[in-house]
């Protein structure tokens, strides 16, 4: 039993070193500046405050859901990713870098690191339904080119969210070829090597039951339909234009 435990520990260490080596080697050939920082001290993640009140998304997303979702669920992902990274060689590597080798990561890092990244984005790309926002001309052009119209994008992303089996996310992603819609299971995201469609997510839709069950019960499609009125297109446009 002791030698089994020892072997498991050793294997974990080898995998961790491998990921670390792959990421550092990859960075060394592309950029040098960020690497100096990454070799530094371990990163400790914290839950970012909401950019609005808990009640700001009413009546689309109720206050109690927001409190539980942000203060309890997101906090748990943060606590658990910090715990999973503690005292490992991965602790000093930013999550966005780690996601590139998600398939090799310990499940606790992949799931909780993904949970932290995904929720941090989710809070930012929403705003009060009273605040009317629209895609920037630049983003709208890309949407029309990729999907035909904004309504067709909404249709496609809604379908991605409602048909995602079990828990997961729907995404609008900036890829090398333009925009794409996709979905991922659990807390995976399009920055991960395991994603069907890879790219930079600029809009995220959480379709886990904890995101809607108190108000919408089992009716995920109703939540997804209503959710469009809290999308903060100003923020999505900013993320689209970011180089
Ligand atoms: Mn969630």
């Amino acid at each position: 039993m002791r030698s089994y435990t020892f072997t498991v520990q050793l294997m974990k260490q080898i995998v961790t070193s491998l990921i670390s080596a792959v990421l550092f080697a990859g960075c060394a050939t592309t950029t040098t500046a960020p690497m100096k920082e990454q070799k530094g001290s371990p990163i400790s993640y914290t839950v970012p405050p909401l950019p609005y009140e808990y009640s700001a998304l009413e009546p689309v997303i109720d206050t109690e859901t927001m409190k539980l979702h942000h203060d309890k669920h997101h906090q748990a992902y943060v606590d658990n990713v910090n715990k999973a990274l503690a005292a490992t060689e991965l602790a000093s590597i930013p999550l966005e870098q780690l996601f590139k080798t998600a398939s090799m990561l310990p499940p606790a890092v992949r799931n909780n690191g993904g949970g932290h990244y995904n929720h941090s984005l989710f809070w930012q790309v929403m705003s009060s339904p009273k605040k009317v926002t629209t895609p920037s001309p630049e983003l709208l052009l890309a949407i029309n080119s990729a999907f035909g119209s904004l309504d067709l994008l909404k249709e496609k992303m809604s379908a991605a969210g409602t048909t995602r089996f079990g828990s997961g996310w729907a995404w609008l992603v900036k890829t090398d070829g333009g925009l794409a819609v996709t979905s991922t299971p659990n807390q995976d995201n399009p920055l991960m090597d395991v994603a069907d469609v890879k790219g930079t997510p600029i809009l995220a839709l959480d379709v886990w039951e904890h995101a809607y069950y108190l108000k919408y019960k089992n009716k995920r499609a109703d939540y997804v339909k209503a959710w469009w009125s809290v999308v903060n297109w100003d923020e999505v446009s900013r993320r689209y234009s970011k180089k």
Side-chain angles (χ1 to χ4, degrees), residues 69 77 119 169 187 206 208 210-211:
H69 201 174
Y77 294 122
H119 287 88
W169 292 76
Q187 294 296 353
D206 189 344
W208 281 60
H210 66 227

Side-chain angles (χ1 to χ4, degrees), residues 5 55 86 149 188 222 230 242:
T5 310
S55 61
S149 71
D188 286 356
D222 290 357
V230 295
K242 208 162 90 179

Side-chain angles (χ1 to χ4, degrees), residues 50 54 58 60-73 122-123 208-216 223:
L50 287 177
Y54 292 108
E58 293 267 11
V60 177
I61 303 180
D62 60 286
T63 306
E64 197 186 352
T65 295
M66 287 302 286
K67 280 186 179 165
L68 282 169
H69 201 174
H70 178 268
D71 295 2
K72 304 294 179 191
H73 289 278
F122 185 55
W123 311 132
W208 281 60
E209 281 186 349
H210 66 227
Y212 62 87
Y213 203 84
L214 290 182
K215 182 178 167 82
Y216 296 90
Y223 155 71

Side-chain angles (χ1 to χ4, degrees), residues 9 120 147 149 163-164 202 207 233:
Q9 285 298 334
S120 300
F147 308 106
S149 71
T163 59
R164 165 51 58 191
I202 60 170
V207 293
W233 287 108

Side-chain angles (χ1 to χ4, degrees), residues 148-159:
S149 71
L150 181 58
D151 280 344
L152 288 171
L153 155 65
K154 289 180 180 177
E155 230 172 76
K156 195 166 181 187
M157 193 163 156
S158 297

